Amino acid sequence: DVKVTQSSRYLVKRTGEKVFLECVQDMDHENMFWYRQDPGLGLRLIYFSYDVKMKEKGDIPEGYSVSREKKERFSLILESASTNQTSMYLCASSPIEEPYEQYFGPGTRLTVT
Amino acid sequence: AQKVTQAQTEISVVEKEDVTLDCVYETRDTTYYLFWYKQPPSGELVFLIRRNSFDEQNEISGRYSWNFQKSTSSFNFTITASQVVDSAVYFCALSEWTSNTGKLIFGQGTTLQVKP
């Protein structure tokens, strides 16, 4: 059974803290993605990675960075958390071949106070 | 530009009613994939179906059916005889084919509430 896991389901952090969200997949997928989900806005792509140490900005990369040191692990970093980063964060992975179906983790609901 | 629009923000039905979730997309690609995902209250998006642009056959899976029409750029999803367990947020998505990155473009989502 394919699996994408995220390190936390719920997280509460203070403004200005550095936050790490971890994602691990066991499907040997090349592609990995970080999205944030907000009501009425759907899923918006923050960053994605198509190989180890490779990354590309998505639609809303400001305030975020990522790290992919190993194929199975993709980390999202909030350098200095702000209240407008309170959101649901979803990680996904997909193979490099079509049809590019993405497999999602359970999500991390982050609250920044 | 590529875009997916789910105009229905929220739908509320009573159990056993049929319900259709609309999805309209825009793309210049001639080859693409369309997807539907379900997000139950637990939060994890669950894959429901994919359709490639060359296959306009409608598909039925149990109480679920999908109507893909290239002429109107729509990929609508119908649940027949809805059940309370169908309550979820449903997302339609389009693959960004030309970039060959596996990126998906998601619609805003439709929240379906099925009341007993």
Side-chain angles (χ1 to χ4, degrees):
Chain A
D1 198 17
V2 297
K3 271 283 191 206
V4 178
T5 57
Q6 295 183 228
S7 50
S8 306
R9 290 301 304 272
Y10 300 93
L11 209 52
V12 180
K13 295 291 182 181
R14 292 191 183 277
T15 301
E17 279 193 77
K18 191 169 186 176
V19 182
F20 293 88
L21 302 183
E22 304 284 339
C23 175
V24 178
Q25 52 99 358
D26 66 359
M27 296 163 281
D28 201 36
H29 285 165
E30 290 82 3
N31 295 334
M32 295 189 75
F33 307 84
W34 274 107
Y35 296 91
R36 67 175 279 176
Q37 180 183 0
D38 300 288
L41 298 177
L43 274 68
R44 293 180 293 167
L45 183 64
I46 304 171
Y47 268 97
F48 73 100
S49 169
Y50 49 89
D51 201 351
V52 174
K53 297 192 187 294
M54 306 303 287
K55 61 186 179 186
E56 279 196 26
K57 293 179 180 179
D59 301 317
I60 52 164
E62 297 77 20
Y64 304 94
S65 62
V66 290
S67 172
R68 193 164 180 201
E69 297 296 319
K70 293 185 178 181
K71 189 176 186 180
E72 67 272 17
R73 188 179 297 270
F74 191 35
S75 303
L76 179 69
I77 303 156
L78 286 66
E79 296 289 342
S80 178
S82 63
T83 55
N84 63 13
Q85 292 178 309
T86 291
S87 186
M88 169 73 97
Y89 290 88
L90 292 162
C91 174
S93 71
S94 77
I96 204 166
E97 305 87 12
E98 57 180 278
Y100 307 120
E101 178 183 327
Q102 291 189 15
Y103 297 84
F104 283 83
T108 296
R109 188 165 292 282
L110 172 67
T111 302
V112 182
T113 61
Chain B
Q2 294 175 299
K3 188 178 177 182
V4 175
T5 302
Q6 295 178 254
Q8 305 149 308
T9 305
E10 292 183 20
I11 301 176
S12 181
V13 299
V14 177
E15 209 170 17
K16 297 185 183 176
E17 282 187 37
D18 298 347
V19 58
T20 295
L21 309 182
D22 297 333
C23 173
V24 174
Y25 63 93
E26 297 174 28
T27 181
R28 291 181 183 171
D29 291 340
T30 55
T31 304
Y32 51 89
Y33 282 92
L34 292 161
F35 301 80
W36 275 96
Y37 284 86
K38 174 183 180 180
Q39 186 182 39
S42 59
E44 184 171 338
L45 267 76
V46 176
F47 165 79
L48 294 177
I49 190 173
R50 67 172 166 269
R51 175 66 70 216
N52 77 48
S53 51
F54 296 110
D55 183 1
E56 286 194 72
Q57 275 194 334
N58 292 331
E59 178 147 344
I60 298 174
S61 176
R63 296 184 296 106
Y64 294 171
S65 62
W66 291 268
N67 183 346
F68 176 31
Q69 292 195 335
K70 284 179 78 170
S71 60
T72 56
S73 297
S74 64
F75 186 42
N76 297 335
F77 172 30
T78 298
I79 301 174
T80 303
S82 60
Q83 299 177 2
V84 172
V85 294
D86 295 326
S87 297
V89 183
Y90 291 87
F91 290 97
C92 180
L94 168 71
S95 65
E96 197 175 274
W97 189 269
T98 50
S99 68
N100 201 30
T101 60
K103 287 169 64 177
L104 295 182
I105 298 160
F106 285 85
Q108 302 92 321
T110 297
T111 299
L112 173 65
Q113 183 183 33
V114 181
K115 298 177 182 177

